[in-house]
Amino acid sequence: MPTAVINPRIRGFICTTAHPAGCAANVRTLIDLARKGSPGKGLGTVLVVGSSAGFGLASLATSLFGYGADAVGVCFERPASGDKPATAGFYNLAEMHRQATAAGRKLTTINGDAFSHAVKQQAIAALKALGKPVDLVVYSLASPKRKDPDSDTLWGSVLKPLGDAYTAKTVDLDTDQVKEITIPTASAEEKAGTIKVMGGEDWKLWIEVLSAAGVLAPTCRTVAYSYIGPKVTHPIYRAGTIGAAKDHLEATGRELNVRMAKTGGGAWVSVNKALVTQASSAIPIVPLYIALLYKVMKEKGTHEETGEQIVRLFREQLQPSKQPKLDEQGRIRVDDWEMDPGVQAEVHRRWLAVDSANLRALGDYDGFRTGFRRLFGFEVPGVDYAAPVEVSAELA
Ligand code: NAI
């Protein structure tokens, strides 16, 4: 069994190594949050598509340890190879499996392309093996591409404006300097590709095949995650290619809800807070906004990390005993504390003033940097990074 001392290897928003002990500690923190903030029971079987990181990982932990569910998770992660570490998501789920087994919960992970027909069928087989109908389907994919399961066309997702090219402040994650960036306008093909990858088509396909296979409880609920954010990020996010995809996702939620509500279930999109994940770190401009937002929300005592957001979402909106409170467009809003007018006014004031010299005074840039490193298991308190660790891991 190979052991190695593993150090971070970071360029921009990419880290090519991950630390198993740090990832395991992160997952135990999520599990503690889930246990403390939830009733301990209430869900039978849960499917999480995108289960290995970010909001999906937190949804899995909350289902298993906050609501006593058994679960099937779907992810796309690379195992270790020799002394080359696995991806962070792989280590996250290795620990989730260890903890689930210790707690007597059943967890099956399917590591493959969630967009493919084959993986959907594997998930159905795993759900059938659990023997109880599915109460909740969480759809939490963030992917740069999607291979069309019928035509084999490879669709790409881009983060670009749809109107004019957009120039705004951003932070260079390699040099920690605030600078201006200009992002060119997306082409029609890029917009269409982003909708194909990050819109609602695949979510709907999942619900249709699960329904046809008879594995959904009549009262099954499903949720997918979206984002709105402030005006300064609108050209790159909500009014950009990804926003067009989120519009499609939200319309799909409303369409699925009509169908699922007939038997007492429901389908919703939950608009979540901006948080440091692998997906959000890759979006230009957003990390600088997150740094300012974190500082303002921490000062006001309203900051939440991914686990806390999802625990609140389940406790107040998603668990079977709750009827979600929706906005005028039928969406759940757990971005309410982020979008609080007082928070936004202060973030905007700092946005206008921020530069390389005052970045750490006005924003929680170190919080962002640490948060980014922790996604990969680095800078996690209590972990001995000088010690060699077992590199291989299993999802069982
Ligand atoms: P993430 O990057 O942390 O996790 C993405 C997950 O998708 C991982 O489990 C990964 O293995 C899985 N995945 C990607 N491609 C796959 C494929 N082809 N097959 C199977 N699994 C695949 O992402 P994050 O940030 O948690 O995003 C999840 C959702 O939440 C996205 O829809 C995102 O837009 C949304 N969201 C994110 C916010 C943020 O600030 N991070 C804010 C609000 C919504």
Side-chain angles (χ1 to χ4, degrees):
M1 290 300 194
T3 60
V5 173
I6 304 174
N7 294 306
R9 257 194 244 146
I10 297 172
R11 238 190 116 216
F13 57 84
I14 296 185
C15 179
T16 55
T17 53
H19 199 281
C23 290
N26 287 339
V27 166
R28 290 193 297 273
T29 301
L30 280 179
I31 292 172
D32 283 349
L33 279 170
R35 284 196 165 118
K36 281 187 193 128
S38 321
K41 57 184 183 268
L43 288 170
T45 302
V46 171
L47 170 67
V48 181
V49 183
S51 61
S52 56
F55 285 115
L57 181 72
S59 303
L60 181 65
T62 304
S63 300
L64 288 166
F65 300 96
Y67 291 84
D70 292 332
V72 172
V74 180
C75 66
F76 210 18
E77 300 292 348
R78 193 193 65 232
S81 154
D83 63 359
K84 188 174 174 213
T87 51
F90 200 96
Y91 288 137
N92 290 339
L93 287 181
E95 180 65 9
M96 196 74 86
H97 274 270
R98 275 191 291 273
Q99 296 293 332
T101 303
R105 305 257 63 83
K106 291 184 192 140
L107 170 62
T108 305
T109 294
I110 294 151
N111 189 14
D113 182 4
F115 295 121
S116 69
H117 293 313
V119 162
K120 290 182 173 72
Q121 291 307 319
Q122 285 172 42
I124 287 168
L127 289 164
K128 284 186 173 164
L130 286 178
K132 293 174 294 179
V134 179
D135 293 324
L136 177 66
V137 178
V138 177
Y139 186 83
S140 187
L141 285 188
S143 177
K145 54 186 188 309
R146 171 182 174 208
K147 189 165 164 194
D148 190 294
D150 296 318
S151 68
D152 273 0
T153 306
L154 192 63
W155 303 100
S157 162
V158 301
L159 295 154
K160 288 188 177 175
L162 291 174
D164 296 333
Y166 185 48
T167 301
K169 287 180 191 176
T170 193
V171 58
D172 182 322
L173 300 178
D174 288 324
T175 60
D176 305 336
Q177 296 297 300
V178 176
K179 57 182 197 186
E180 281 210 330
I181 184 171
T182 299
I183 305 151
T185 307
S187 66
E189 293 74 35
E190 287 174 322
K191 178 184 174 188
T194 308
I195 294 172
K196 277 279 180 187
V197 181
M198 290 298 288
E201 191 174 277
D202 183 61
W203 182 24
K204 186 172 156 192
L205 271 175
W206 268 99
I207 297 300
E208 283 174 350
V209 294
L210 293 164
S211 174
V215 295
L216 299 183
T219 53
C220 179
R221 296 176 159 197
T222 184
V223 69
Y225 298 135
S226 186
Y227 184 65
I228 295 176
K231 280 213 169 63
V232 288
T233 64
H234 278 190
I236 180 72
Y237 200 98
R238 194 65 210 202
T241 47
I242 184 70
K246 292 300 182 191
D247 288 345
H248 187 273
L249 186 81
E250 291 171 14
T252 305
R254 288 188 288 272
E255 184 190 330
L256 290 174
N257 190 48
V258 170
R259 223 187 289 173
M260 295 175 80
K262 284 186 186 142
T263 53
W268 304 282
V269 157
S270 171
V271 182
N272 296 355
K273 177 193 182 202
L275 279 159
V276 184
T277 66
Q278 291 187 46
S280 67
S281 306
I283 309 174
I285 303 166
V286 168
L288 180 59
Y289 166 71
I290 288 182
L292 300 180
L293 177 75
Y294 272 29
K295 184 127 180 170
V296 172
M297 291 186 80
K298 283 179 182 176
E299 283 169 9
K300 288 189 186 290
T302 57
H303 176 71
E304 289 170 308
E305 297 286 345
T306 318
E308 288 149 342
Q309 268 268 289
I310 294 299
V311 166
R312 179 159 71 97
L313 170 67
F314 274 58
R315 190 179 58 232
E316 295 180 0
Q317 313 266 8
L318 265 193
Q319 60 161 308
S321 66
K322 298 280 178 181
Q323 197 51 35
K325 290 182 223 57
L326 306 175
D327 71 7
E328 65 289 347
Q329 293 182 55
R331 304 171 295 205
I332 298 171
R333 302 295 296 267
V334 287
D335 65 338
D336 46 354
W337 297 353
E338 170 183 353
M339 298 314 287
D340 171 82
V343 168
Q344 283 302 319
E346 181 55 22
V347 172
H348 188 66
R349 193 187 67 74
R350 295 183 191 204
W351 180 269
L352 297 176
V354 71
D355 58 26
S356 303
N358 62 22
L359 175 59
R360 286 182 164 85
L362 295 185
D364 184 19
Y365 185 59
D366 290 327
F368 174 84
R369 280 177 60 92
T370 303
F372 179 74
R373 281 157 176 72
R374 284 199 184 149
L375 295 176
F376 304 91
F378 298 108
E379 295 188 19
V380 178
V383 175
D384 179 3
Y385 290 101
V389 275
E390 175 59 53
V391 174
S392 63
E394 279 187 18
L395 302 183

